[in-house]
């Protein structure tokens, strides 16, 4: 039983050695030219940014670098059992080349990838190739023992530290090859994992990035708390100045009616009619208030129908395209709805557009919304347009906002919120 177990373990180790050698050889041969190509194209593309060409090419080049790095992350997990996290900041779909370029260049993960490329071309290449060398180099020692040394003539051929010039020294080379093969049998798999550990050491987010992430989360949480407090104050103010005042007035009218119902029925009827109007106005205000907190159509029918209902109430013709096969969490739906509402309000008030298009769909693990109008353009975050508030609202959910609004239009506002559909 024990003998068989050891035999199985030895066979498994031998298969692991051969697998590591084969995979390492393929990885080294394939990755070196790709790493050189990615680094060269990136350097050229970034250098061309000042003349405008790089604005167009850089997003595509950096996307290719990310795909290359992500593929290495997959291989590290599948071949080496070494998980490497990916921490790219999301880029809104539909963002213009200028926005995409500078969002990607401001992402620390981009520069981490670019630092990894030269490491992968040098130390990464050697560590990937090492298992193949450990397995293949002993074969040369064996072939020397079988007479290959005669090919080299009278000059000694150095195999490792053994000068091979006759059959005896060739047998010494074979002995060295056998030792190397034993080393390969024992350490080839571990040597292959060194490559992926090196990759993880370079591609893993730094403590500074994690600290920045904590800072961003702290700010978005503070914004969320401030927004909630402001919303509560607004609700309290609306109730006090609106529905509550009307209900108080209606109560006073009804008290007067009680006194006049026998003395002056006509006056009592007028006050009852006035109380009925006040109750209707109070009910309408309460409905508006509820709609401002969480629209019933959003709760009952989801984001798709809520945005369509919102578009129907606008004075500007608005076309809504939705591709959402499911619903997301209620807080995300609410944030997306009010973000769309704010953007549409801005478009109606400030753009001068005569047509608006809204597109909602879910892709790549995120809800993506774009609002486009054919107005005069000039919209910007922080320019008093309310977009800064939208950005803070989305930031609570790790969402991003991008605005493309050149002078003369059109304006496209793109929002993305990471989420899953149920």
């Amino acid at each position: 039983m024990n003998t068989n177990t050891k035999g199985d373990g030895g066979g498994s180790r031998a298969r692991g050695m051969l697998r590591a050698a084969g995979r390492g050889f393929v990885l080294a041969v394939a990755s070196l030219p790709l790493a050189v190509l990615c680094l060269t194209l990136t350097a050229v593309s970034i250098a061309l940014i000042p003349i405008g060409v790089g604005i167009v090419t850089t997003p595509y080049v950096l996307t290719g670098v990310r795909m290359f790095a992500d593929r290495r992350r997959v291989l590290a997990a599948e071949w080496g059992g070494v998980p490497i996290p990916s921490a790219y900041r999301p880029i809104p779909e539909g963002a213009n080349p200028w926005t995409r370029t500078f969002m990607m260049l401001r992402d620390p993960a981009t520069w981490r990838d670019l630092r990894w490329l030269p490491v992968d071309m040098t130390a990464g290449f050697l560590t990937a190739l090492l298992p193949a060398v450990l397995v293949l180099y002993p074969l040369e020692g064996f072939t020397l023992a079988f007479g290959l040394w005669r090919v080299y003539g009278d000059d000694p051929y150095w195999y490792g530290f053994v000068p091979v010039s006759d059959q005896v020294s060739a047998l010494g080379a074979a002995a060295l090859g056998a030792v190397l093969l034993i080393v390969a049998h024992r350490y080839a798999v571990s040597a292959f994992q060194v490559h992926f550990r090196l990759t993880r050491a370079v591609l893993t987010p730094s403590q500074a990035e994690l600290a920045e992430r904590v800072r961003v989360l702290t700010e978005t949480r503070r914004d969320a708390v401030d927004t909630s407090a402001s919303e509560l104050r607004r609700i309290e103010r609306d109730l006090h100045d609106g529905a509550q005042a009307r209900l108080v007035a209606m109560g006073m009218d009804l008290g007067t009616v009680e006194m006049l119902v026998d003395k002056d029925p006509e006056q009592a009827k007028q006050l009852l009619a006035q109380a009925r109007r006040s109750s209707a106005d109070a009910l309408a205000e309460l409905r508006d208030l509820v709609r401002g907190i969480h629209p019933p159509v959003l709760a009952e029918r989801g984001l798709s129908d809520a945005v369509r209902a919102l578009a129907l109430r606008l004075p500007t013709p608005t076309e809504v395209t939705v591709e959402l096969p499911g619903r997301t969490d209620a807080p995300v739906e609410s944030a997306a709805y009010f973000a769309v509402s704010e953007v549409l309000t801005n478009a109606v008030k400030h753009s001068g557009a005569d047509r608006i298009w809204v597109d909602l769909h879910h892709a790549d693990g995120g809800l993506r919304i774009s609002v486009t109008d054919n107005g005069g353009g000039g919209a910007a975050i922080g320019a008093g347009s309310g977009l800064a508030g939208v950005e803070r609202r989305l930031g609570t959910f790790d969402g991003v906002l991008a605005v493309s609004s050149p002078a003369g239009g059109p304006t496209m506002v793109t929002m993305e919120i990471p989420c899953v559909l149920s």
Side-chain angles (χ1 to χ4, degrees), residues 101-102 107 122 124 153 168 174 190-191 238 242 285 296 308 316 337 364 380 414:
T101 296
F102 286 97
D107 190 348
T122 53
V168 175
S190 299
D238 290 348
E285 289 182 357
R308 290 191 179 100
T316 304
Y337 173 84
D364 299 330
T414 304

Side-chain angles (χ1 to χ4, degrees), residues 311-383:
L312 290 174
R313 295 197 298 268
L314 296 177
T316 304
T318 302
E319 179 180 338
V320 179
T321 303
V322 180
E323 293 181 8
L324 295 178
R327 295 187 61 174
T328 186
D329 294 336
V332 175
E333 279 191 337
S334 180
Y337 173 84
F338 286 109
V340 173
S341 177
E342 180 66 28
V343 173
L344 288 175
T345 300
N346 284 349
V348 171
K349 288 184 177 180
H350 307 296
S351 70
D354 57 18
R355 194 159 188 83
I356 302 174
W357 296 266
V358 181
D359 177 77
L360 295 89
H361 66 279
H362 188 274
D364 299 330
L367 176 65
R368 294 179 178 177
I369 307 170
S370 64
V371 180
T372 307
D373 66 67
N374 61 355
I381 299 176

Side-chain angles (χ1 to χ4, degrees), residues 124-164:
F125 174 78
L126 295 177
T127 53
L129 194 60
L130 181 58
V133 172
L134 288 175
V135 172
L136 297 177
Y137 193 52
L139 301 181
E140 184 181 3
F142 299 148
T143 58
L144 289 171
F146 281 100
L148 181 65
W149 63 273
R150 295 186 178 89
V151 176
Y152 300 102
D154 296 332
D155 296 330
Y157 173 78
W158 287 88
Y159 177 76
F161 56 83
V162 177
V164 180

Side-chain angles (χ1 to χ4, degrees), residues 155-200:
D155 296 330
Y157 173 78
W158 287 88
Y159 177 76
F161 56 83
V162 177
V164 180
S165 58
D166 54 26
Q167 187 61 41
V168 175
S169 57
L171 291 175
L176 177 59
V179 172
L180 291 176
L181 192 60
I182 293 173
V183 172
H185 184 266
R186 178 67 179 83
Y187 295 108
V189 175
S190 299
F192 190 43
Q193 286 187 329
V194 169
H195 169 82
F196 294 117
R197 292 193 182 100
L198 175 65
T199 303
R200 178 174 61 183

